[in-house]
Amino acid sequence: MNAESSIREPEKPPLIRNWWSLTGLTIAAGALFSFLFLFVLDSLARSGNPYLGILTYLVAPAFLFSGLILAGLGMWLEHRRRRQQGGAVSALVIDFSRARDRRRLAWFGGGAAGFLLLSAIGSYQTYHFTESTQFCGQVCHTVMEPQRVTHQLGPHARVACVECHIGPGATWFVKSKLSGTYQVYATWADKYPRPIPTPIKNLRPARETCEQCHWPQKFIGNLDRTFHYFLADETNTPFVVRMTLKVGGGDPRLGPVAGIHWHVHPTNVVQYVAARWDHGQWVPDPSRQSIPWVRFVDGQGVVTEFRKPGFTNDPARFEIRTMDCMDCHNRPAHQYQAPSKAVNHALALGRIDPSLPWIKSNAVYALTRPYTNLSEALERIATFLAAAYPAPDHRDLAPSVREAIATVQEIYQHNFFPGMRASWEKYPVNSSHMFWPGCFRCHEGRHVTADGKRRIVNDCNACHTILAQGYGEVLRQLTPEGQPFRHPGDEVDGGCYECHTGGL
Ligand code: HEC
Ligand code: HEC
Ligand code: HEC
Ligand code: HEC
Ligand code: HEC
Ligand code: HEC
């Protein structure tokens, strides 16, 4: 044996063999593992979830990179140490005969296994959490507060946020990942708009969402609806309208294709252009509140076009939207009640005593003042109403006044969100015509065909039949053929929403 070779410097162990780098690599491996796990979970899930994107595409990679950086840092430290020791190498030699090495290795192995296990459990738990209504509504507490509260009080309280807001499939996968990640950034950076604007651009299409649970062909038939009102006078004069709402249906095998759901008959296509008159020209109306052009194509392909006077533009230059459930039911989950409606309801239920003079008008007044935050609102509602109905000789307020205050405060809490500037005023309701144009966007009687012979129906008994109206004895005499509406107080002319804003 050559002596020279035996004294040759021993081969240098790779720089990576140091505790820092090994820990870094373990973190990186754990993160990579979580990433793959989340990725598979998310791809297999029935409906995607945007917030999972943050975990999958932000948090896991962040750990991956920190792990890699730690590994690199360890290598650099190791390199420096070797240089400082004048090239002398103390390699990371693991000697199983040494108790210290055995202990260290056991700790390291145990730690690495534990870390992998925890990251698997953690990813899985977080995945479930991000799917929950609690996550959507509570984690983004202030931002989603209005939607969480109204969702809880609405008919869809038991339908999870993700059911309506996020769809399945590959395109949704990418779309929701991007927008969810952006939304969290926007919340963190305080960049979100107040209130959050509608219509929402990337809402799941109605055909996918609503029709999972609501069968569009179902024949709903007529609904019996009774509306209770109280006038804004001293005696809070009651007024009632009872009507048959002709919802009808859209499938000839199940019932006549007629009534309100006629628009969603599978072979009927109703399309429209949303545009408003602005500075001498028609510009697109993103809120879809002004509709100057409507086209209806029936099952035989016969096309009927209706225009509002003044709209002579080529509709093809605007976005042509096909009507679906959401064009009427645009507030299925988040209904911000108008103060007038909410107070009428509370009076009808006796939660506010109708014998308190001027209470309708006082309650609506208290609700419609501008307040900057909830506690200010609650306090000032109480002070205002207490002053309007003072207790004699500094005694306690009458129980009916206290109950009225509590009820008005509750109405405020459920329907007004000053932090997000969300309330009934900001979100149009399209399934009626009382406070917003709604059906009257097309049915106000001004949409006519080119020959002027046909007009979209506007008759008060076309969509509903007024069976009875007024108060007391008259409500017992129903007229199945319908009766003309008699406006309480003065005769009026014009669209209801032009005077009734909900704060009246
Ligand atoms: C039944 C379906 C459904 C459910 C469940 C649902 N939403 Fe909505 N959401 C909608 C529709 C429809 C809109 C309005 C779309 C439009 O006008 O463009 C909307 C609008 C919103 C908006 C925009 C602002 C607004 O008030 O219109 C936010 C934010 C929102 N939802 C969050 C949530 C959260 C958070 C949950 C769960 C707590 C939830 N949604 C549950 C259907 C739903
Ligand atoms: C996961 C199932 C589910 C989905 C998705 C769903 N709904 Fe519903 N919806 C229900 C149930 C259940 C009710 C009945 C609630 C009740 O009467 O308590 C209901 C009630 C309704 C009502 C009657 C409301 C009322 O005030 O009585 C309307 C209108 C409605 N849904 C429209 C929609 C629209 C529009 C969509 C799509 C944005 C939708 N739903 C999506 C399950 C669903
Ligand atoms: C032209 C407007 C319009 C369209 C389009 C429309 N609806 Fe309706 N729908 C109404 C009105 C108005 C009512 C009755 C009042 C209400 O509940 O708001 C109603 C009632 C309902 C009800 C409640 C029935 C009950 O028993 O309380 C459901 C559920 C419903 N619609 C689902 C749908 C679905 C799903 C679609 C889409 C396939 C759809 N609607 C399309 C206007 C419409
Ligand atoms: C985008 C425009 C548009 C909107 C919004 C709209 N409709 Fe219509 N509606 C039409 C057109 C177009 C017709 C067919 C008119 C014709 O054939 O003369 C129609 C027809 C009807 C009919 C008669 C159906 C039949 O039996 O022949 C009823 C009832 C009706 N609409 C109710 C409503 C109600 C209620 C709303 C609001 C919740 C509403 N519409 C909103 C466009 C609209
Ligand atoms: C295109 C269909 C349509 C026409 C035309 C129509 N309505 Fe209505 N009306 C509705 C719908 C839909 C509702 C909402 C019912 C609900 O909230 O459940 C409604 C609600 C009402 C209400 C109760 C409003 C509330 O929220 O308190 C009154 C009152 C009323 N209509 C009167 C009239 C009168 C008067 C006319 C004629 C000038 C008329 N309607 C024309 C569809 C129509
Ligand atoms: C020219 C303005 C104007 C128009 C248009 C109008 N109203 Fe009114 N309405 C009033 C006024 C003012 C009152 C009285 C307010 C009060 O005493 O509460 C009132 C009161 C009412 C009330 C009882 C009070 C309440 O709580 O709402 C009902 C119901 C009502 N209107 C329905 C309608 C309907 C439905 C239409 C559309 C067909 C309509 N109004 C159109 C001005 C109008």
Side-chain angles (χ1 to χ4, degrees):
M1 255 261 161
N2 190 324
E4 214 184 281
S5 69
S6 65
I7 59 162
R8 202 181 57 192
E9 245 180 73
E11 187 125 334
K12 281 189 187 165
L15 285 172
I16 195 99
R17 279 221 229 144
N18 65 79
W19 292 111
W20 284 114
S21 301
L22 290 179
T23 312
L25 285 183
T26 314
I27 293 178
L32 186 68
F33 178 72
S34 303
F35 171 78
L36 293 175
F37 185 70
L38 286 168
F39 185 78
V40 170
L41 238 168
D42 197 29
S43 325
L44 294 181
R46 196 171 48 82
S47 66
N49 178 327
Y51 304 101
L52 191 59
I54 296 145
L55 281 180
T56 322
Y57 306 107
L58 288 181
V59 178
F63 271 94
L64 183 69
F65 285 117
S66 352
L68 291 177
I69 288 171
L70 190 61
L73 192 75
M75 287 168 77
W76 179 74
L77 284 174
E78 177 67 13
H79 176 74
R80 210 179 56 164
R81 199 180 55 82
R82 283 184 197 178
R83 261 228 325 256
Q84 278 169 355
Q85 291 179 359
V89 184
S90 85
L92 181 78
V93 181
I94 296 171
D95 182 352
F96 282 103
S97 62
R98 275 201 308 207
R100 180 174 145 270
D101 279 18
R102 280 202 307 271
R103 250 191 341 263
R104 273 201 188 177
L105 200 72
W107 275 108
F108 184 76
F115 181 70
L116 282 181
L117 191 73
L118 280 182
S119 47
I121 299 175
S123 331
Y124 189 71
Q125 291 298 341
T126 321
Y127 171 75
H128 270 296
F129 179 56
T130 57
E131 287 251 299
S132 67
T133 299
Q134 196 192 3
F135 176 81
C136 302
Q138 285 179 352
V139 172
C140 294
H141 193 78
T142 33
V143 188
M144 296 285 161
E145 173 76 359
Q147 286 75 29
R148 186 182 63 82
V149 172
T150 48
H151 170 252
Q152 282 308 306
L153 295 167
H156 292 99
R158 298 213 169 152
V159 180
C161 318
V162 289
E163 294 273 352
C164 292
H165 284 281
I166 295 147
T171 41
W172 271 103
F173 181 71
V174 178
K175 228 195 298 192
S176 61
K177 292 294 124 19
L178 293 176
S179 77
T181 312
Y182 175 76
Q183 279 161 25
V184 167
Y185 160 73
T187 311
W188 169 75
D190 198 9
K191 277 188 139 180
Y192 51 86
R194 296 179 180 82
I196 298 174
T198 52
I200 309 189
K201 296 284 179 316
N202 53 5
L203 197 74
R204 251 179 106 177
R207 294 225 84 87
E208 282 175 23
T209 348
C210 320
E211 295 183 12
Q212 284 185 109
C213 300
H214 299 288
W215 192 40
Q217 280 86 345
K218 182 181 186 301
F219 180 75
I220 292 176
N222 293 335
L223 296 177
D224 187 347
R225 289 272 155 102
T226 305
F227 297 87
H228 293 269
Y229 307 95
F230 294 84
L231 299 190
D233 56 13
E234 186 175 356
T235 54
N236 313 301
T237 310
F239 178 73
V240 175
V241 175
R242 180 162 168 195
M243 58 168 70
T244 293
L245 202 56
K246 304 174 192 170
V247 183
D251 191 327
R253 291 169 305 159
L254 304 173
V257 177
I260 300 170
H261 278 179
W262 164 94
H263 305 76
V264 282
H265 178 286
T267 66
N268 283 351
V269 181
V270 179
Q271 292 175 313
Y272 68 85
V273 160
R276 62 193 163 79
W277 184 249
D278 186 41
H279 291 95
Q281 58 174 338
W282 289 96
V283 294
D285 177 13
S287 70
R288 303 183 190 142
Q289 289 303 295
S290 164
I291 298 183
W293 181 88
V294 185
R295 171 167 69 195
F296 156 51
V297 187
D298 73 7
Q300 278 76 48
V302 179
V303 181
T304 318
E305 213 181 275
F306 302 91
R307 278 175 194 263
K308 239 169 121 160
F311 187 79
T312 48
N313 304 42
D314 176 8
R317 304 191 55 179
F318 294 85
E319 185 203 343
I320 296 183
R321 192 181 142 85
T322 302
M323 212 173 164
D324 65 26
C325 320
M326 223 74 89
D327 286 290
C328 299
H329 298 288
N330 66 333
R331 312 298 314 163
H334 319 291
Q335 296 164 3
Y336 304 87
Q337 281 191 51
S340 157
K341 197 161 184 133
V343 172
N344 278 339
H345 192 59
L347 282 162
L349 293 175
R351 298 193 61 211
I352 298 180
D353 180 0
S355 70
L356 290 170
W358 296 105
I359 187 67
K360 165 80 189 285
S361 115
N362 282 337
V364 172
Y365 180 85
L367 286 168
T368 48
R369 290 310 90 201
Y371 302 117
T372 51
N373 59 52
L374 182 64
S375 49
E376 185 205 341
L378 299 186
E379 201 183 302
R380 285 182 50 198
I381 287 171
T383 340
F384 174 77
L385 290 178
Y389 306 97
D393 314 326
H394 303 288
R395 263 175 291 164
D396 279 350
L397 291 175
S400 65
V401 176
R402 269 185 279 138
E403 201 190 339
I405 291 176
T407 306
V408 174
Q409 286 175 326
E410 187 193 281
I411 294 176
Y412 191 89
Q413 261 174 306
H414 288 168
N415 300 290
F416 293 74
F417 303 89
M420 282 303 293
R421 302 197 193 110
S423 73
W424 97 99
E425 283 180 296
K426 303 292 166 49
Y427 294 112
V429 176
N430 292 339
S431 59
S432 181
H433 54 76
M434 192 63 177
F435 305 134
W436 295 93
C439 315
F440 280 25
R441 290 172 299 163
C442 299
H443 285 272
E444 64 182 337
R446 295 177 64 211
H447 292 72
V448 287
T449 49
D451 59 11
K453 288 209 179 109
R454 197 156 144 198
R455 199 173 275 275
I456 303 184
V457 285
N458 175 243
D459 175 10
C460 298
N461 285 320
C463 310
H464 42 61
T465 321
I466 297 178
L467 298 176
Q469 60 189 318
Y471 196 68
E473 204 46 44
V474 287
L475 290 177
R476 278 188 242 284
Q477 297 141 18
L478 303 186
T479 45
E481 70 284 358
Q483 47 182 270
F485 180 63
R486 283 189 304 276
H487 191 271
D490 304 329
E491 276 286 319
V492 294
D493 201 19
C496 322
Y497 60 92
E498 287 167 33
C499 301
H500 290 273
T501 57
L504 186 69

